[in-house]
């Protein structure tokens, strides 16, 4: 596959030679640049898969903020860190989505919703206490 630089150069040549219009050139250039950005983001997410796998212990549930701290060393307010607006924007807009993408690639289980969401490998499903007396009564019936 050709590099982005080569594609943009060939595209400019087509424009200069009158083969394509300026509108077509602009549209194709945006597509090439967007495809490059998508590929770079996918590579960044893929690069987090192995560190995430090494950090997580099977059958243990993790909050997303703990995973971001453990893998990327980015603290959140729940860790006692007073972050700036710019740091929060990066953590919420870049770091968390990348960790979530890596979790999806790994096939991690998701439990709960909102702030109570937990992620895990293995069978770390929430455990519920079972009333032993109710079980015995139903078994006797």
């Amino acid at each position: 596959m050709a590099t982005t630089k080569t594609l943009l150069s060939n595209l400019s040549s087509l424009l200069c030679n009158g083969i394509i219009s300026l509108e077509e050139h602009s549209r194709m250039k945006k597509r090439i640049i967007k495809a490059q950005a998508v590929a770079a983001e996918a590579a960044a997410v893929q690069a987090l898969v192995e560190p995430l796998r090494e950090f997580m212990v099977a059958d243990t549930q993790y909050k997303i903020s703990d995973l971001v701290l453990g893998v990327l060393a980015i603290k959140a307010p729940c860790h006692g860190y007073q972050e700036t607006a710019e740091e929060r924007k990066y953590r919420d807009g870049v770091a968390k989505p990348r960790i979530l993408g890596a979790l999806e690639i790994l096939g991690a289980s998701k439990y709960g919703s909102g702030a109570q969401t937990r992620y895990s490998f293995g069978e770390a499903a929430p455990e519920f206490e079972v009333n032993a007396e109710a079980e015995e009564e139903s078994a006797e019936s």
Side-chain angles (χ1 to χ4, degrees):
M1 185 169 154
T3 65
T4 302
K5 186 175 180 178
T6 304
L7 288 173
L8 293 175
S9 175
N10 290 344
L11 194 59
S12 294
S13 294
L14 291 172
L15 177 63
C16 290
N17 292 328
I19 297 172
I20 62 173
S21 68
L22 181 60
E23 293 82 26
E24 291 172 318
H25 175 270
S26 297
R27 188 179 71 243
M28 288 182 208
K29 183 177 178 181
K30 286 179 186 176
R31 284 184 182 174
I32 292 168
I33 292 170
K34 184 176 180 179
Q36 181 185 19
V38 167
E41 184 63 23
V45 169
Q46 188 63 41
L48 291 175
V49 170
E50 195 56 38
L52 188 60
R53 182 181 288 134
E54 292 171 3
F55 176 76
M56 292 180 78
V57 176
D59 298 330
T60 303
Q61 292 185 358
Y62 296 92
K63 296 187 306 183
I64 188 69
S65 59
D66 293 336
L67 294 173
V68 171
L69 175 63
V71 176
L72 299 174
I74 298 174
K75 288 187 175 184
C78 64
H79 299 118
Y81 178 71
Q82 184 65 36
E83 64 187 358
T84 65
E86 193 170 310
E87 289 171 326
R88 181 177 53 252
K89 183 177 177 182
Y90 179 80
R91 181 177 50 83
D92 290 343
V94 177
K96 281 184 184 180
R98 285 182 179 172
I99 292 290
L100 291 172
L103 285 167
E104 189 175 310
I105 291 171
L106 290 172
S109 301
K110 177 180 174 181
Y111 304 101
S113 63
Q116 303 304 316
T117 305
R118 303 290 187 264
Y119 301 89
S120 69
F121 286 126
E123 298 299 322
E127 296 181 17
F128 299 101
E129 290 185 21
V130 178
N131 188 345
E133 293 174 11
E135 278 188 6
E136 290 174 10
E137 289 176 11
S138 63
E140 292 173 2
S141 305

